[in-house]
Amino acid sequence: VAKRSYGQYCALARTLDLIGERWTLLVIRELAAGPKRYSDLLDALPGVGTSLLADRLKHLEAKEIIRRRTLPPPAASTVYELFGAGAELARALLPLTVWGVRHALGPRRRSEAFRAEWPLLAIGALIDKSDTVGVSAVYEFRIDDSVGHLRVENGAVSAHAGEAPDGADVVVVSDVETFVGIPAGRTDPATAMADGRLVLEGEPDAIEVFLRLMPIDLEARPTDVPAQPATRRRAARGPAR
Amino acid sequence: VAKRSYGQYCALARTLDLIGERWTLLVIRELAAGPKRYSDLLDALPGVGTSLLADRLKHLEAKEIIRRRTLPPPAASTVYELFGAGAELARALLPLTVWGVRHALGPRRRSEAFRAEWPLLAIGALIDKSDTVGVSAVYEFRIDDSVGHLRVENGAVSAHAGEAPDGADVVVVSDVETFVGIPAGRTDPATAMADGRLVLEGEPDAIEVFLRLMPIDLEARPTDVPAQPATRRRAARGPAR
DNA sequence: CGGCATCCATTTTGATACTG
DNA sequence: CAGTATCAAAATGGATGCCG
């Protein structure tokens, strides 16, 4: 079962040898949101086929990218989680994700699944952590038929599926195309808010903080990226700090 | 030939739908070094199979990631080159490449091909462009059995295969493992230079500029030994030939 | 030759059935 | 729930064929 390799001593080629096979990076994405059980992963990745998922997990575990762990009683279920190099890998995927928002993500196709966690993961990773000191807030996003929330706690940002259990400081309601159109440069937030395709609910003060944190401008963010001749957008009318 | 898709409206999944298939990203890597002909790509990617390469190229062209262009006479050959989204894609691969240097690149296997352009592409992309203003220099790298050079010209850095045609300001001689060990954190540059596994040839001034530009620490490394202007430096054969 | 298209032997995969 | 086992369909890789 000699693994297929590109046979090149090149960092990118070796990386693809390691994690370039089908489904592998989506497993990483899923685990980036937190530990998950085998069946959670099966649910989250329709079409994967159970034995292929098992193979991938075993491989990633052998390479110390993920770790298999049995939760302490009473939960006692086994979960997979990112580990060591895996956490760094998740971060390395961010620019690729940003690229995808702008170049691979057109309108949503009817057959495509969507979960609010996906954009929230990226948004959470893109938030400038130095902006979050002293901020403690929960933001809920209702996008199309999916709900997720971001939890900002004093320097840490985490993305979660579902409603915020203890209520949210700001609730964002939108349809996917409008929502992903913002970072993609297709949606002008101010316009979208004006015609109701994008709604922010919450106290004015909370909304102001929220708007300050959101990484609306992807252009000058990840590692570098001298922007293309992109059309200049205006952020939603939020007072400067 | 309905393309296989993950069926998820997620930026990463869509990106992988677009460029996640086998060989695609290595084609991007090859074109990141500059336009190449079909046969150049075949040579650079042993094992690809001619029809698969043709498919990939056609697909990438259709998605406006690369462009097919016929060079003006007298060359009159057709080349493929990165285009629009493709250039941004190449940049988005950098973090993945950096990850690979640290986590996917062990010792070189006997059967693996190696070309000096590969690390040079990454190094060139990682150089802080603001450090290069007013700098005009050529650096040649002789790594194992492969030679390549970096050309720094007032804010622009480009990587090329082969020797520098007009001589180099600094020539770096090393074996691959020592060389890639530097960013990976396995090689201490000072030690490697002391025991001759890493040799820098050139005028002291040129070497000083060179060392300033090199992105030696990819991120804060645990055992960080900054490459100060080396204490022991071999000024050997002149830079020009 | 450069630039593909065609034809097969192998691998990978996807979907389902089955087990502790 | 957490996987294995099995098998058909798809993707890959090699070798050739073709055409300017």
Side-chain angles (χ1 to χ4, degrees):
Chain A
V1 198
K3 265 199 39 86
R4 187 181 272 177
S5 159
Y6 288 111
Q8 300 188 340
Y9 191 66
C10 156
L12 182 61
R14 280 282 196 100
T15 296
L16 294 172
D17 282 346
L18 210 55
I19 48 81
E21 293 166 284
R22 197 162 161 76
W23 294 108
T24 301
L25 288 181
L26 293 190
V27 169
I28 301 294
R29 179 199 68 191
E30 285 304 314
L31 297 184
K36 280 198 166 56
R37 292 172 300 175
Y38 186 84
S39 50
D40 295 331
L41 291 171
L42 273 183
D43 286 350
L45 304 172
V48 70
T50 75
S51 50
L52 185 64
L53 178 60
D55 279 355
R56 294 288 186 270
L57 290 172
K58 229 175 293 184
H59 177 244
L60 289 173
E61 191 187 354
K63 298 298 181 182
E64 306 204 290
I65 291 169
I66 67 173
R67 180 167 56 176
R68 190 174 183 279
R69 191 160 59 94
T70 304
L71 294 182
S77 59
T78 67
V79 295
Y80 295 88
E81 62 188 0
L82 293 184
F83 174 63
E88 288 179 46
L89 177 55
R91 281 195 293 272
L93 293 179
L94 200 57
L96 216 51
T97 304
V98 170
W99 182 87
V101 169
R102 301 169 52 94
H103 300 292
L105 209 56
R108 177 177 178 189
R109 293 167 199 141
R110 190 152 309 282
S111 60
E112 282 179 323
F114 169 73
R115 284 188 291 134
E117 304 164 75
W118 298 334
L120 294 189
L121 266 167
I123 291 172
L126 285 169
I127 287 178
D128 186 335
K129 299 307 176 293
S130 67
D131 283 352
T132 67
V133 292
V135 175
S136 181
V138 175
Y139 303 126
E140 185 173 291
F141 295 75
R142 308 173 162 270
I143 315 292
D144 274 13
D145 47 350
S146 180
V147 181
H149 62 280
L150 278 181
R151 191 171 293 273
V152 180
E153 253 162 337
N154 202 9
V157 180
S158 54
H160 310 270
E163 303 188 352
D166 309 315
D169 296 285
V170 177
V171 177
V172 181
V173 184
S174 182
D175 62 289
V176 206
E177 315 232 351
T178 298
F179 188 65
V180 306
I182 297 172
R186 286 189 297 270
T187 298
D188 170 36
T191 306
M193 283 168 63
D195 58 26
R197 287 174 299 142
L198 175 64
V199 177
L200 303 189
E201 301 168 358
E203 298 295 328
D205 285 359
I207 291 183
E208 188 176 328
V209 172
F210 171 80
L211 289 174
R212 177 162 59 79
L213 292 182
M214 285 303 104
I216 293 193
D217 235 345
L218 291 187
E219 325 255 339
R221 199 41 72 122
T223 330
D224 48 76
V225 184
Q228 254 225 316
T231 48
R232 204 64 204 154
R233 281 170 287 105
R234 303 189 50 138
R237 200 159 289 286
R241 8 191 151 160
Chain B
V1 196
K3 266 205 35 91
R4 185 182 274 178
S5 159
Y6 288 111
Q8 300 188 340
Y9 191 65
C10 155
L12 182 61
R14 280 282 195 102
T15 297
L16 294 172
D17 282 346
L18 210 56
I19 49 80
E21 293 167 282
R22 198 165 160 74
W23 294 109
T24 301
L25 288 182
L26 293 189
V27 169
I28 302 294
R29 178 199 67 191
E30 286 304 315
L31 297 184
K36 280 197 166 55
R37 292 171 301 175
Y38 185 83
S39 51
D40 295 332
L41 291 171
L42 272 184
D43 287 350
L45 304 172
V48 71
T50 77
S51 51
L52 186 63
L53 178 60
D55 280 353
R56 293 288 185 271
L57 290 172
K58 228 175 295 183
H59 178 242
L60 289 173
E61 192 187 354
K63 299 299 181 181
E64 304 204 292
I65 291 169
I66 67 174
R67 178 167 56 176
R68 191 173 182 279
R69 190 160 60 93
T70 303
L71 295 181
S77 59
T78 67
V79 296
Y80 297 87
E81 62 187 2
L82 293 184
F83 174 63
E88 288 180 45
L89 177 55
R91 283 195 293 271
L93 293 179
L94 200 56
L96 216 51
T97 304
V98 170
W99 182 88
V101 169
R102 300 168 53 94
H103 299 293
L105 208 58
R108 177 177 176 187
R109 291 167 201 142
R110 190 161 317 283
S111 59
E112 282 179 322
F114 169 74
R115 284 188 291 134
E117 305 163 74
W118 297 334
L120 294 189
L121 267 169
I123 290 172
L126 285 169
I127 287 178
D128 185 335
K129 300 305 177 295
S130 68
D131 282 352
T132 68
V133 291
V135 175
S136 180
V138 174
Y139 303 126
E140 186 173 291
F141 294 75
R142 306 172 165 271
I143 313 293
D144 274 13
D145 48 350
S146 180
V147 182
H149 62 281
L150 278 181
R151 192 171 292 273
V152 179
E153 254 162 338
N154 203 7
V157 180
S158 54
H160 310 271
E163 303 188 352
D166 309 315
D169 297 285
V170 176
V171 177
V172 180
V173 184
S174 183
D175 63 288
V176 206
E177 315 232 353
T178 297
F179 189 66
V180 305
I182 298 174
R186 287 189 298 270
T187 298
D188 169 36
T191 306
M193 283 169 60
D195 58 25
R197 286 174 299 142
L198 174 65
V199 177
L200 303 189
E201 302 170 357
E203 299 295 328
D205 285 359
I207 290 183
E208 189 174 330
V209 171
F210 171 80
L211 291 175
R212 178 162 57 80
L213 291 183
M214 285 304 104
I216 293 195
D217 39 25
L218 297 187
E219 286 169 74
R221 269 182 296 134
T223 40
D224 205 339
V225 185
Q228 279 286 322
T231 47
R232 247 167 78 67
R233 195 189 293 127
R234 294 216 2 216
R237 315 171 252 163
R241 60 204 76 240

